[in-house]
Amino acid sequence: MNTMALDIVTPNGSVFSEEDCEIIILQTKQGELGVMAGHVPTVSALKIGSLRAKIDGRYEYFAVTEGFVEIRPERVSVLIQAGEFAEDIDTARARQAKERAEQLLEQAKDEKVDRYRAELALNRAINRINVSEHA
Ligand code: ATP
């Protein structure tokens, strides 16, 4: 089977790099996208969600925040604010972040900007909790 490389990069540097992925499943702002070697070149915006990569017949799961993906026939490059392996997610921290965001949303009922930030924080926390179930 033809495989493709995957690089996941954040402002803190590379969080994952693998040369032989069989399939990569991403959540773009337009919906879920499955990528295999030979995919047509594309750039797409990612939403807060999961990224799954099949390597040696087994899926690795990552929690990813908003960012971009560049797809080339033999390489997928993911540029995001933050990303964690399912195994590395601190679920207690994510639950605390979820509670904080929920409280902020309660307090910031009339403040559009604060609400938006709190909603993003809540989405990140819920996403981490969901992805950690695949650890
Ligand atoms: P928190 O309020 O807990 O910091 P956050 O959503 O504001 O959550 P981010 O700004 O997305 O956090 O990420 C900051 C850094 O902390 C990143 O390096 C990210 O990978 C890491 N991180 C955030 N939450 C977790 C978590 N629950 N488990 C492991 N790493 C995390």
Side-chain angles (χ1 to χ4, degrees), residues 10 12 15 63 65 81-85 88-98 100 120-125 128-129:
T10 73
N12 294 330
V15 290
T65 59
Q81 283 299 327
E84 305 90 37
F85 257 119
D88 293 338
I89 293 170
D90 178 341
T91 48
R93 175 174 167 179
R95 275 192 225 102
Q96 281 170 10
K98 179 171 175 278
R100 265 199 318 277
L120 288 179
L122 181 59
N123 286 344
R124 289 195 300 273
R128 286 179 173 123
I129 292 165

PDB file of all heavy atoms in Angstrom, residues 10 12 15 63 65 81-85 88-98 100 120-125 128-129, ligand 1:
ATOM      1  N   THR A  10       3.125  22.812  15.977  1.00  0.00           N
ATOM      2  CA  THR A  10       2.476  23.882  16.750  1.00  0.00           C
ATOM      3  C   THR A  10       3.509  25.005  16.938  1.00  0.00           C
ATOM      4  O   THR A  10       4.684  24.818  16.604  1.00  0.00           O
ATOM      5  CB  THR A  10       2.028  23.370  18.141  1.00  0.00           C
ATOM      6  OG1 THR A  10       3.204  23.211  18.949  1.00  0.00           O
ATOM      7  CG2 THR A  10       1.280  22.057  18.066  1.00  0.00           C
ATOM      8  N   ASN A  12       5.006  25.617  19.446  1.00  0.00           N
ATOM      9  CA  ASN A  12       6.064  25.065  20.313  1.00  0.00           C
ATOM     10  C   ASN A  12       6.962  24.079  19.581  1.00  0.00           C
ATOM     11  O   ASN A  12       7.855  23.499  20.183  1.00  0.00           O
ATOM     12  CB  ASN A  12       5.454  24.339  21.516  1.00  0.00           C
ATOM     13  CG  ASN A  12       4.729  25.298  22.427  1.00  0.00           C
ATOM     14  OD1 ASN A  12       5.098  26.457  22.528  1.00  0.00           O
ATOM     15  ND2 ASN A  12       3.675  24.814  23.074  1.00  0.00           N
ATOM     16  N   VAL A  15       4.968  18.231  17.081  1.00  0.00           N
ATOM     17  CA  VAL A  15       4.407  17.314  18.089  1.00  0.00           C
ATOM     18  C   VAL A  15       4.302  15.896  17.550  1.00  0.00           C
ATOM     19  O   VAL A  15       4.153  14.947  18.309  1.00  0.00           O
ATOM     20  CB  VAL A  15       3.041  17.767  18.655  1.00  0.00           C
ATOM     21  CG1 VAL A  15       3.177  18.988  19.521  1.00  0.00           C
ATOM     22  CG2 VAL A  15       2.022  18.009  17.558  1.00  0.00           C
ATOM     23  N   ALA A  63      -5.923  15.079  19.724  1.00  0.00           N
ATOM     24  CA  ALA A  63      -6.849  16.208  19.871  1.00  0.00           C
ATOM     25  C   ALA A  63      -6.156  17.395  19.212  1.00  0.00           C
ATOM     26  O   ALA A  63      -4.975  17.644  19.470  1.00  0.00           O
ATOM     27  CB  ALA A  63      -7.089  16.500  21.353  1.00  0.00           C
ATOM     28  N   THR A  65      -6.475  21.652  17.943  1.00  0.00           N
ATOM     29  CA  THR A  65      -7.215  22.910  18.008  1.00  0.00           C
ATOM     30  C   THR A  65      -7.310  23.470  16.593  1.00  0.00           C
ATOM     31  O   THR A  65      -6.885  22.834  15.637  1.00  0.00           O
ATOM     32  CB  THR A  65      -6.518  23.907  18.941  1.00  0.00           C
ATOM     33  OG1 THR A  65      -5.214  24.131  18.440  1.00  0.00           O
ATOM     34  CG2 THR A  65      -6.429  23.375  20.364  1.00  0.00           C
ATOM     35  N   GLN A  81      -2.615  25.427  16.749  1.00  0.00           N
ATOM     36  CA  GLN A  81      -2.174  26.122  17.973  1.00  0.00           C
ATOM     37  C   GLN A  81      -1.692  25.122  19.019  1.00  0.00           C
ATOM     38  O   GLN A  81      -0.704  25.353  19.694  1.00  0.00           O
ATOM     39  CB  GLN A  81      -3.327  26.947  18.560  1.00  0.00           C
ATOM     40  CG  GLN A  81      -3.606  28.239  17.828  1.00  0.00           C
ATOM     41  CD  GLN A  81      -2.422  29.188  17.837  1.00  0.00           C
ATOM     42  OE1 GLN A  81      -1.648  29.237  18.783  1.00  0.00           O
ATOM     43  NE2 GLN A  81      -2.261  29.937  16.763  1.00  0.00           N
ATOM     44  N   ALA A  82      -2.426  24.003  19.151  1.00  0.00           N
ATOM     45  CA  ALA A  82      -2.036  22.990  20.145  1.00  0.00           C
ATOM     46  C   ALA A  82      -2.596  21.640  19.706  1.00  0.00           C
ATOM     47  O   ALA A  82      -3.651  21.558  19.066  1.00  0.00           O
ATOM     48  CB  ALA A  82      -2.588  23.358  21.525  1.00  0.00           C
ATOM     49  N   GLY A  83      -1.861  20.595  20.047  1.00  0.00           N
ATOM     50  CA  GLY A  83      -2.321  19.247  19.714  1.00  0.00           C
ATOM     51  C   GLY A  83      -1.705  18.254  20.682  1.00  0.00           C
ATOM     52  O   GLY A  83      -0.561  18.433  21.106  1.00  0.00           O
ATOM     53  N   GLU A  84      -2.487  17.268  21.072  1.00  0.00           N
ATOM     54  CA  GLU A  84      -1.979  16.252  22.006  1.00  0.00           C
ATOM     55  C   GLU A  84      -2.396  14.863  21.537  1.00  0.00           C
ATOM     56  O   GLU A  84      -3.513  14.666  21.071  1.00  0.00           O
ATOM     57  CB  GLU A  84      -2.542  16.443  23.427  1.00  0.00           C
ATOM     58  CG  GLU A  84      -2.332  17.816  24.031  1.00  0.00           C
ATOM     59  CD  GLU A  84      -3.485  18.764  23.715  1.00  0.00           C
ATOM     60  OE1 GLU A  84      -4.642  18.317  23.695  1.00  0.00           O
ATOM     61  OE2 GLU A  84      -3.222  19.961  23.480  1.00  0.00           O
ATOM     62  N   PHE A  85      -1.517  13.897  21.714  1.00  0.00           N
ATOM     63  CA  PHE A  85      -1.835  12.480  21.576  1.00  0.00           C
ATOM     64  C   PHE A  85      -2.925  12.145  22.584  1.00  0.00           C
ATOM     65  O   PHE A  85      -2.879  12.645  23.716  1.00  0.00           O
ATOM     66  CB  PHE A  85      -0.625  11.663  22.072  1.00  0.00           C
ATOM     67  CG  PHE A  85       0.208  11.078  21.009  1.00  0.00           C
ATOM     68  CD1 PHE A  85       1.550  11.445  20.914  1.00  0.00           C
ATOM     69  CD2 PHE A  85      -0.306  10.123  20.150  1.00  0.00           C
ATOM     70  CE1 PHE A  85       2.356  10.878  19.957  1.00  0.00           C
ATOM     71  CE2 PHE A  85       0.509   9.553  19.195  1.00  0.00           C
ATOM     72  CZ  PHE A  85       1.835   9.938  19.088  1.00  0.00           C
ATOM     73  N   ASP A  88      -1.638  11.455  25.957  1.00  0.00           N
ATOM     74  CA  ASP A  88      -0.980  12.534  26.718  1.00  0.00           C
ATOM     75  C   ASP A  88      -1.962  13.530  27.311  1.00  0.00           C
ATOM     76  O   ASP A  88      -1.553  14.495  27.966  1.00  0.00           O
ATOM     77  CB  ASP A  88       0.004  13.294  25.813  1.00  0.00           C
ATOM     78  CG  ASP A  88       1.170  12.422  25.403  1.00  0.00           C
ATOM     79  OD1 ASP A  88       1.442  11.433  26.105  1.00  0.00           O
ATOM     80  OD2 ASP A  88       1.793  12.726  24.369  1.00  0.00           O
ATOM     81  N   ILE A  89      -3.247  13.336  27.045  1.00  0.00           N
ATOM     82  CA  ILE A  89      -4.225  14.318  27.534  1.00  0.00           C
ATOM     83  C   ILE A  89      -4.459  14.130  29.027  1.00  0.00           C
ATOM     84  O   ILE A  89      -4.698  13.020  29.507  1.00  0.00           O
ATOM     85  CB  ILE A  89      -5.554  14.189  26.748  1.00  0.00           C
ATOM     86  CG1 ILE A  89      -5.316  14.599  25.295  1.00  0.00           C
ATOM     87  CG2 ILE A  89      -6.643  15.042  27.389  1.00  0.00           C
ATOM     88  CD1 ILE A  89      -6.468  14.301  24.364  1.00  0.00           C
ATOM     89  N   ASP A  90      -4.361  15.250  29.725  1.00  0.00           N
ATOM     90  CA  ASP A  90      -4.629  15.274  31.163  1.00  0.00           C
ATOM     91  C   ASP A  90      -6.135  15.542  31.301  1.00  0.00           C
ATOM     92  O   ASP A  90      -6.592  16.676  31.105  1.00  0.00           O
ATOM     93  CB  ASP A  90      -3.765  16.404  31.767  1.00  0.00           C
ATOM     94  CG  ASP A  90      -3.977  16.580  33.248  1.00  0.00           C
ATOM     95  OD1 ASP A  90      -5.004  16.117  33.771  1.00  0.00           O
ATOM     96  OD2 ASP A  90      -3.111  17.212  33.880  1.00  0.00           O
ATOM     97  N   THR A  91      -6.891  14.504  31.606  1.00  0.00           N
ATOM     98  CA  THR A  91      -8.355  14.661  31.597  1.00  0.00           C
ATOM     99  C   THR A  91      -8.842  15.518  32.768  1.00  0.00           C
ATOM    100  O   THR A  91      -9.824  16.246  32.634  1.00  0.00           O
ATOM    101  CB  THR A  91      -9.078  13.293  31.617  1.00  0.00           C
ATOM    102  OG1 THR A  91      -8.502  12.500  32.640  1.00  0.00           O
ATOM    103  CG2 THR A  91      -8.970  12.573  30.300  1.00  0.00           C
ATOM    104  N   ALA A  92      -8.125  15.462  33.895  1.00  0.00           N
ATOM    105  CA  ALA A  92      -8.527  16.297  35.042  1.00  0.00           C
ATOM    106  C   ALA A  92      -8.385  17.772  34.659  1.00  0.00           C
ATOM    107  O   ALA A  92      -9.275  18.586  34.939  1.00  0.00           O
ATOM    108  CB  ALA A  92      -7.662  15.965  36.257  1.00  0.00           C
ATOM    109  N   ARG A  93      -7.286  18.086  33.969  1.00  0.00           N
ATOM    110  CA  ARG A  93      -7.077  19.469  33.516  1.00  0.00           C
ATOM    111  C   ARG A  93      -8.177  19.879  32.527  1.00  0.00           C
ATOM    112  O   ARG A  93      -8.709  20.995  32.599  1.00  0.00           O
ATOM    113  CB  ARG A  93      -5.691  19.578  32.859  1.00  0.00           C
ATOM    114  CG  ARG A  93      -5.433  20.942  32.254  1.00  0.00           C
ATOM    115  CD  ARG A  93      -4.003  21.033  31.748  1.00  0.00           C
ATOM    116  NE  ARG A  93      -3.839  22.211  30.907  1.00  0.00           N
ATOM    117  CZ  ARG A  93      -2.705  22.573  30.336  1.00  0.00           C
ATOM    118  NH1 ARG A  93      -1.612  21.844  30.525  1.00  0.00           N
ATOM    119  NH2 ARG A  93      -2.626  23.645  29.577  1.00  0.00           N
ATOM    120  N   ALA A  94      -8.519  18.980  31.618  1.00  0.00           N
ATOM    121  CA  ALA A  94      -9.562  19.298  30.630  1.00  0.00           C
ATOM    122  C   ALA A  94     -10.909  19.511  31.318  1.00  0.00           C
ATOM    123  O   ALA A  94     -11.676  20.398  30.939  1.00  0.00           O
ATOM    124  CB  ALA A  94      -9.642  18.191  29.578  1.00  0.00           C
ATOM    125  N   ARG A  95     -11.199  18.700  32.348  1.00  0.00           N
ATOM    126  CA  ARG A  95     -12.476  18.871  33.061  1.00  0.00           C
ATOM    127  C   ARG A  95     -12.511  20.218  33.793  1.00  0.00           C
ATOM    128  O   ARG A  95     -13.538  20.895  33.817  1.00  0.00           O
ATOM    129  CB  ARG A  95     -12.708  17.717  34.041  1.00  0.00           C
ATOM    130  CG  ARG A  95     -13.337  16.532  33.341  1.00  0.00           C
ATOM    131  CD  ARG A  95     -13.859  15.478  34.304  1.00  0.00           C
ATOM    132  NE  ARG A  95     -13.437  14.178  33.815  1.00  0.00           N
ATOM    133  CZ  ARG A  95     -12.418  13.478  34.302  1.00  0.00           C
ATOM    134  NH1 ARG A  95     -11.738  13.924  35.340  1.00  0.00           N
ATOM    135  NH2 ARG A  95     -12.080  12.331  33.772  1.00  0.00           N
ATOM    136  N   GLN A  96     -11.350  20.592  34.355  1.00  0.00           N
ATOM    137  CA  GLN A  96     -11.291  21.901  35.034  1.00  0.00           C
ATOM    138  C   GLN A  96     -11.483  23.033  34.019  1.00  0.00           C
ATOM    139  O   GLN A  96     -12.189  24.006  34.277  1.00  0.00           O
ATOM    140  CB  GLN A  96      -9.953  22.068  35.748  1.00  0.00           C
ATOM    141  CG  GLN A  96      -9.898  21.317  37.069  1.00  0.00           C
ATOM    142  CD  GLN A  96      -8.499  21.286  37.672  1.00  0.00           C
ATOM    143  OE1 GLN A  96      -7.600  21.978  37.200  1.00  0.00           O
ATOM    144  NE2 GLN A  96      -8.316  20.483  38.700  1.00  0.00           N
ATOM    145  N   ALA A  97     -10.831  22.885  32.870  1.00  0.00           N
ATOM    146  CA  ALA A  97     -10.951  23.915  31.815  1.00  0.00           C
ATOM    147  C   ALA A  97     -12.409  24.008  31.362  1.00  0.00           C
ATOM    148  O   ALA A  97     -12.919  25.105  31.100  1.00  0.00           O
ATOM    149  CB  ALA A  97     -10.033  23.569  30.639  1.00  0.00           C
ATOM    150  N   LYS A  98     -13.079  22.867  31.280  1.00  0.00           N
ATOM    151  CA  LYS A  98     -14.490  22.845  30.859  1.00  0.00           C
ATOM    152  C   LYS A  98     -15.335  23.604  31.878  1.00  0.00           C
ATOM    153  O   LYS A  98     -16.152  24.450  31.512  1.00  0.00           O
ATOM    154  CB  LYS A  98     -14.959  21.390  30.741  1.00  0.00           C
ATOM    155  CG  LYS A  98     -16.404  21.219  30.349  1.00  0.00           C
ATOM    156  CD  LYS A  98     -16.689  19.755  30.055  1.00  0.00           C
ATOM    157  CE  LYS A  98     -18.160  19.514  29.770  1.00  0.00           C
ATOM    158  NZ  LYS A  98     -18.987  19.383  30.958  1.00  0.00           N
ATOM    159  N   ARG A 100     -14.344  25.903  34.038  1.00  0.00           N
ATOM    160  CA  ARG A 100     -14.014  27.342  33.971  1.00  0.00           C
ATOM    161  C   ARG A 100     -14.743  28.000  32.802  1.00  0.00           C
ATOM    162  O   ARG A 100     -15.301  29.078  32.932  1.00  0.00           O
ATOM    163  CB  ARG A 100     -12.499  27.525  33.791  1.00  0.00           C
ATOM    164  CG  ARG A 100     -11.730  27.741  35.057  1.00  0.00           C
ATOM    165  CD  ARG A 100     -10.359  28.359  34.797  1.00  0.00           C
ATOM    166  NE  ARG A 100      -9.650  27.806  33.670  1.00  0.00           N
ATOM    167  CZ  ARG A 100      -8.916  26.679  33.711  1.00  0.00           C
ATOM    168  NH1 ARG A 100      -8.804  26.005  34.837  1.00  0.00           N
ATOM    169  NH2 ARG A 100      -8.291  26.249  32.639  1.00  0.00           N
ATOM    170  N   LEU A 120     -14.820  28.789  22.645  1.00  0.00           N
ATOM    171  CA  LEU A 120     -13.668  28.064  22.082  1.00  0.00           C
ATOM    172  C   LEU A 120     -12.981  27.234  23.165  1.00  0.00           C
ATOM    173  O   LEU A 120     -12.620  26.079  22.936  1.00  0.00           O
ATOM    174  CB  LEU A 120     -12.657  29.042  21.464  1.00  0.00           C
ATOM    175  CG  LEU A 120     -13.064  29.709  20.150  1.00  0.00           C
ATOM    176  CD1 LEU A 120     -11.957  30.659  19.702  1.00  0.00           C
ATOM    177  CD2 LEU A 120     -13.352  28.688  19.057  1.00  0.00           C
ATOM    178  N   ALA A 121     -12.799  27.833  24.360  1.00  0.00           N
ATOM    179  CA  ALA A 121     -12.162  27.102  25.466  1.00  0.00           C
ATOM    180  C   ALA A 121     -12.993  25.878  25.839  1.00  0.00           C
ATOM    181  O   ALA A 121     -12.458  24.793  26.090  1.00  0.00           O
ATOM    182  CB  ALA A 121     -11.985  28.027  26.666  1.00  0.00           C
ATOM    183  N   LEU A 122     -14.313  26.056  25.827  1.00  0.00           N
ATOM    184  CA  LEU A 122     -15.203  24.931  26.152  1.00  0.00           C
ATOM    185  C   LEU A 122     -15.067  23.834  25.091  1.00  0.00           C
ATOM    186  O   LEU A 122     -14.948  22.648  25.423  1.00  0.00           O
ATOM    187  CB  LEU A 122     -16.655  25.433  26.231  1.00  0.00           C
ATOM    188  CG  LEU A 122     -17.709  24.396  26.590  1.00  0.00           C
ATOM    189  CD1 LEU A 122     -17.419  23.769  27.961  1.00  0.00           C
ATOM    190  CD2 LEU A 122     -19.108  25.033  26.599  1.00  0.00           C
ATOM    191  N   ASN A 123     -15.034  24.237  23.825  1.00  0.00           N
ATOM    192  CA  ASN A 123     -14.882  23.238  22.749  1.00  0.00           C
ATOM    193  C   ASN A 123     -13.558  22.494  22.870  1.00  0.00           C
ATOM    194  O   ASN A 123     -13.502  21.280  22.666  1.00  0.00           O
ATOM    195  CB  ASN A 123     -14.951  23.900  21.366  1.00  0.00           C
ATOM    196  CG  ASN A 123     -16.358  24.307  21.013  1.00  0.00           C
ATOM    197  OD1 ASN A 123     -17.308  23.854  21.645  1.00  0.00           O
ATOM    198  ND2 ASN A 123     -16.495  25.153  20.011  1.00  0.00           N
ATOM    199  N   ARG A 124     -12.488  23.217  23.197  1.00  0.00           N
ATOM    200  CA  ARG A 124     -11.176  22.550  23.344  1.00  0.00           C
ATOM    201  C   ARG A 124     -11.240  21.517  24.468  1.00  0.00           C
ATOM    202  O   ARG A 124     -10.751  20.399  24.329  1.00  0.00           O
ATOM    203  CB  ARG A 124     -10.065  23.571  23.652  1.00  0.00           C
ATOM    204  CG  ARG A 124      -9.697  24.468  22.493  1.00  0.00           C
ATOM    205  CD  ARG A 124      -8.372  25.188  22.739  1.00  0.00           C
ATOM    206  NE  ARG A 124      -8.347  26.032  23.916  1.00  0.00           N
ATOM    207  CZ  ARG A 124      -8.744  27.316  23.939  1.00  0.00           C
ATOM    208  NH1 ARG A 124      -9.191  27.905  22.849  1.00  0.00           N
ATOM    209  NH2 ARG A 124      -8.679  28.006  25.062  1.00  0.00           N
ATOM    210  N   ALA A 125     -11.860  21.919  25.585  1.00  0.00           N
ATOM    211  CA  ALA A 125     -11.919  21.018  26.745  1.00  0.00           C
ATOM    212  C   ALA A 125     -12.765  19.781  26.432  1.00  0.00           C
ATOM    213  O   ALA A 125     -12.355  18.652  26.702  1.00  0.00           O
ATOM    214  CB  ALA A 125     -12.478  21.770  27.952  1.00  0.00           C
ATOM    215  N   ARG A 128     -10.884  17.491  24.122  1.00  0.00           N
ATOM    216  CA  ARG A 128      -9.821  16.724  24.802  1.00  0.00           C
ATOM    217  C   ARG A 128     -10.430  15.557  25.596  1.00  0.00           C
ATOM    218  O   ARG A 128      -9.886  14.455  25.582  1.00  0.00           O
ATOM    219  CB  ARG A 128      -9.008  17.646  25.706  1.00  0.00           C
ATOM    220  CG  ARG A 128      -8.091  18.546  24.899  1.00  0.00           C
ATOM    221  CD  ARG A 128      -7.273  19.498  25.742  1.00  0.00           C
ATOM    222  NE  ARG A 128      -6.311  20.186  24.908  1.00  0.00           N
ATOM    223  CZ  ARG A 128      -6.210  21.516  24.793  1.00  0.00           C
ATOM    224  NH1 ARG A 128      -6.981  22.301  25.506  1.00  0.00           N
ATOM    225  NH2 ARG A 128      -5.315  22.040  23.975  1.00  0.00           N
ATOM    226  N   ILE A 129     -11.528  15.821  26.262  1.00  0.00           N
ATOM    227  CA  ILE A 129     -12.172  14.755  27.037  1.00  0.00           C
ATOM    228  C   ILE A 129     -12.609  13.634  26.086  1.00  0.00           C
ATOM    229  O   ILE A 129     -12.348  12.452  26.340  1.00  0.00           O
ATOM    230  CB  ILE A 129     -13.373  15.321  27.837  1.00  0.00           C
ATOM    231  CG1 ILE A 129     -12.866  16.270  28.930  1.00  0.00           C
ATOM    232  CG2 ILE A 129     -14.210  14.200  28.428  1.00  0.00           C
ATOM    233  CD1 ILE A 129     -13.932  17.167  29.551  1.00  0.00           C
TER     234      ILE A 129
HETATM  235  P1  ATP B   1      -6.045  25.144  29.872  1.00  0.00           P
HETATM  236  O1  ATP B   1      -7.013  26.216  30.348  1.00  0.00           O
HETATM  237  O2  ATP B   1      -6.144  23.881  30.659  1.00  0.00           O
HETATM  238  O3  ATP B   1      -4.622  25.652  29.689  1.00  0.00           O
HETATM  239  P2  ATP B   1      -6.469  25.588  27.055  1.00  0.00           P
HETATM  240  O4  ATP B   1      -7.523  25.059  26.131  1.00  0.00           O
HETATM  241  O5  ATP B   1      -6.497  27.049  27.305  1.00  0.00           O
HETATM  242  O6  ATP B   1      -6.560  24.725  28.402  1.00  0.00           O
HETATM  243  P3  ATP B   1      -4.411  25.532  25.089  1.00  0.00           P
HETATM  244  O7  ATP B   1      -4.173  27.007  25.012  1.00  0.00           O
HETATM  245  O8  ATP B   1      -5.209  24.899  23.975  1.00  0.00           O
HETATM  246  O9  ATP B   1      -5.045  25.157  26.510  1.00  0.00           O
HETATM  247  O10 ATP B   1      -3.011  24.755  25.173  1.00  0.00           O
HETATM  248  C1  ATP B   1      -1.897  25.272  25.902  1.00  0.00           C
HETATM  249  C2  ATP B   1      -0.876  24.161  26.030  1.00  0.00           C
HETATM  250  O11 ATP B   1      -1.305  23.207  27.003  1.00  0.00           O
HETATM  251  C3  ATP B   1      -0.652  23.357  24.754  1.00  0.00           C
HETATM  252  O12 ATP B   1       0.718  22.985  24.710  1.00  0.00           O
HETATM  253  C4  ATP B   1      -1.539  22.145  24.918  1.00  0.00           C
HETATM  254  O13 ATP B   1      -1.031  21.024  24.193  1.00  0.00           O
HETATM  255  C5  ATP B   1      -1.470  21.907  26.429  1.00  0.00           C
HETATM  256  N1  ATP B   1      -2.725  21.376  26.998  1.00  0.00           N
HETATM  257  C6  ATP B   1      -3.869  22.031  27.208  1.00  0.00           C
HETATM  258  N2  ATP B   1      -4.787  21.270  27.815  1.00  0.00           N
HETATM  259  C7  ATP B   1      -4.211  20.063  27.980  1.00  0.00           C
HETATM  260  C8  ATP B   1      -4.657  18.822  28.541  1.00  0.00           C
HETATM  261  N3  ATP B   1      -5.874  18.684  29.065  1.00  0.00           N
HETATM  262  N4  ATP B   1      -3.788  17.787  28.567  1.00  0.00           N
HETATM  263  C9  ATP B   1      -2.543  17.923  28.051  1.00  0.00           C
HETATM  264  N5  ATP B   1      -2.062  19.060  27.501  1.00  0.00           N
HETATM  265  C10 ATP B   1      -2.883  20.127  27.458  1.00  0.00           C
END
